[in-house]
């Protein structure tokens, strides 16, 4: 979808009520698939039948006072999105296809060693799957699975099963939300139930930086600050040198308009910083679209606290 990363698309889907699930070595396909929310769930009819009509009524002007009717139109309401194995770092599409083909042909894998023996994965590939929590159905947590990756990778198809010397993993401490976020972003480049900006929200709130959700009700024409990840930057040829940015936090996305002068003054941080705090004048169009006309841009440090240290 053009500018938008998988993380942005997943976060937006979640805000619209779509449940997104992590890769699973027993359930995931090569690419993302729809999965019933319950194993034995009978999918009830859902969605507005009028949406299937060939001729549709004209789209009425946006009215923010009306309730959000997204759920009424969804025809996939009884499903979640299951991420595919091809999304996992270090795992090539060819390896993902091999895993799915082997599982379909010869039955589910019983543990990490069985997977490695039947498919021939490397330590790095098993570690990435472990960090993505793909081995959760084997009742093993991420840290334990990553510890066992090298041992499992030593399994070979020409060896008898269970002949490798097994070293019991130590008892690891519970992962913090920061640990989980880092593991998700490293292994798949996205997180299904968190957002990096959430981990600095207290710091932003202390500075009175608004969330994107707050801008929906903030006073038009007011000078405010918003902070988040820069999803893309663009300068259309017809925009007379104006640069447009999208800034995303855990609540949504906002358009940022940078004049030639503002972009020139803050060009280094505007071009290079993955996350920024932007100050500017809030504008709201008649159809409800919110823009921030920037007058200052600064770097936002996204420090994430883990059990032992902070990561940025």
């Amino acid at each position: 979808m053009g500018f938008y990363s998988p993380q942005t698309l997943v976060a937006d889907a979640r805000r619209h009520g779509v449940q997104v699930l992590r890769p699973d070595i027993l359930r995931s396909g090569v690419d993302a698939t729809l999965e019933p929310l319950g194993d034995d769930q009978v999918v009830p009819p859902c969605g507005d039948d009028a949406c299937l009509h060939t001729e549709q009524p004209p789209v009425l002007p946006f009215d923010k006072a009306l309730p959000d009717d997204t759920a009424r139109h969804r025809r996939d309401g009884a499903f979640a999105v299951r991420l595919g194995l091809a999304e996992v770092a270090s795992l090539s599409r060819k390896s993902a296809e091999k895993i799915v083909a082997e599982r379909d042909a010869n039955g589910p894998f019983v543990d990490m060693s069985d997977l490695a023996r039947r498919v021939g994965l490397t330590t790095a590939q098993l570690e990435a799957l472990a960090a993505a929590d793909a081995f959760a159905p084997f009742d093993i947590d991420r840290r334990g699975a990553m510890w066992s990756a090298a041992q499992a990778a030593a399994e070979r198809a020409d060896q008898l099963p269970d002949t490798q010397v097994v070293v019991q993993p130590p008892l690891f401490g519970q992962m913090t939300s920061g640990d989980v976020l880092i593991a998700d972003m490293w292994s798949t480049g996205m997180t299904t139930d968190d957002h990096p900006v959430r981990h600095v929200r207290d710091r932003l709130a202390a500075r009175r930086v608004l969330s994107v959700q707050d801008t929906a009700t903030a006073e038009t024409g007011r000078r405010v600050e918003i902070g988040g990840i820069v999803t893309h930057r663009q300068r259309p040829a017809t925009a007379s040198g104006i640069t447009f940015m999208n800034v995303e936090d855990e609540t949504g996305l906002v358009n940022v308009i940078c004049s030639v002068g503002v972009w020139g003054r803050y060009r280094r941080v505007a071009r290079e910083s993955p996350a920024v705090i932007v100050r500017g004048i809030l504008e709201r169009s008649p159809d409800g679209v919110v823009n921030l006309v920037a007058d200052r841009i600064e770097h936002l440090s996204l420090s994430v606290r883990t059990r032992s240290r902070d990561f940025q």
Side-chain angles (χ1 to χ4, degrees):
M1 291 186 64
F3 302 109
Y4 299 107
S5 68
Q7 167 61 28
T8 296
L9 296 176
V10 166
D12 189 66
R14 286 167 45 211
R15 288 191 289 268
H16 286 83
V18 179
Q19 184 177 355
V20 183
L21 305 174
R22 292 181 174 88
D24 186 302
I25 201 65
L26 299 184
R27 294 173 177 267
S28 290
V30 176
D31 298 306
T33 56
L34 289 178
E35 180 178 307
L37 291 174
D39 291 339
D40 302 318
Q41 180 176 342
V42 177
V43 179
C46 58
D48 191 336
D49 290 338
C51 295
L52 300 179
H53 295 168
T54 302
E55 295 185 9
Q56 295 291 317
V59 178
L60 299 177
F62 176 76
D63 185 353
K64 67 178 182 179
L66 295 176
D68 182 6
D69 63 350
T70 302
R72 181 169 65 86
H73 295 278
R74 285 188 56 189
R75 309 195 71 80
D76 59 347
F79 292 86
V81 174
R82 173 72 70 177
L83 296 181
L85 296 176
E87 298 289 348
V88 178
S90 303
L91 197 66
S92 66
R93 186 173 187 85
K94 183 177 181 180
S95 295
E97 291 172 346
K98 189 174 181 181
I99 291 172
V100 174
E102 171 62 25
R103 187 182 67 201
D104 292 344
N106 298 307
F109 306 106
V110 297
D111 54 30
M112 289 179 63
S113 296
D114 184 44
L115 169 66
R117 186 183 306 108
R118 290 164 57 180
V119 181
L121 299 182
T122 66
T123 299
Q125 290 172 326
L126 290 173
E127 286 178 342
L129 285 166
D133 206 22
F135 297 123
F138 298 153
D139 198 25
I140 181 172
D141 62 19
R142 302 188 201 215
R143 286 176 169 160
M146 292 183 73
W147 172 276
S148 303
Q151 173 186 301
E155 296 279 352
R156 295 291 181 269
D158 57 355
Q159 296 175 339
L160 292 174
D162 302 321
T163 56
Q164 291 284 341
V165 177
V166 177
V167 179
Q168 185 70 22
L171 294 176
F172 294 104
Q174 189 73 21
M175 294 179 71
T176 66
S177 60
D179 294 321
V180 172
L181 173 66
I182 290 170
D184 281 342
M185 298 303 291
W186 175 77
S187 59
T188 63
M190 68 188 88
T191 178
T192 61
D193 52 15
D194 202 353
H195 195 282
V197 178
R198 186 183 69 82
H199 293 261
V200 296
R201 177 53 60 191
D202 289 345
R203 175 155 54 92
L204 293 174
R207 180 172 159 170
R208 297 186 178 180
V209 175
L210 300 184
S211 69
V212 173
Q213 187 176 50
D214 293 335
T215 64
T217 55
E219 181 182 357
T220 303
R222 175 185 167 194
R223 177 171 278 107
V224 300
E225 288 185 325
I226 58 99
I229 294 171
V230 180
T231 63
H232 66 270
R233 308 163 176 88
Q234 63 175 142
R235 184 181 297 162
T238 57
S240 302
I242 294 176
T243 303
F244 299 92
M245 302 167 59
N246 256 192
V247 175
E248 176 191 43
D249 66 10
E250 73 274 30
T251 68
L253 292 126
V254 67
N255 302 313
V256 175
I257 302 172
C258 302
S259 67
V260 175
V262 168
W263 185 264
R265 183 174 183 181
Y266 300 102
R267 61 184 176 277
R268 183 169 183 180
V269 64
R271 292 175 60 182
E272 299 177 5
S273 292
V276 295
I277 294 176
V278 183
R279 188 187 72 180
I281 302 299
L282 195 68
E283 291 185 345
R284 184 174 289 103
S285 64
D287 58 359
V289 175
V290 174
N291 297 312
L292 188 68
V293 182
D295 58 39
R296 188 179 70 194
I297 306 172
E298 63 183 89
H299 174 73
L300 171 62
S301 175
L302 293 177
S303 58
V304 178
R305 181 168 293 279
T306 68
R307 291 183 60 87
S308 57
R309 54 180 147 169
D310 289 348
F311 284 85
Q312 295 186 2

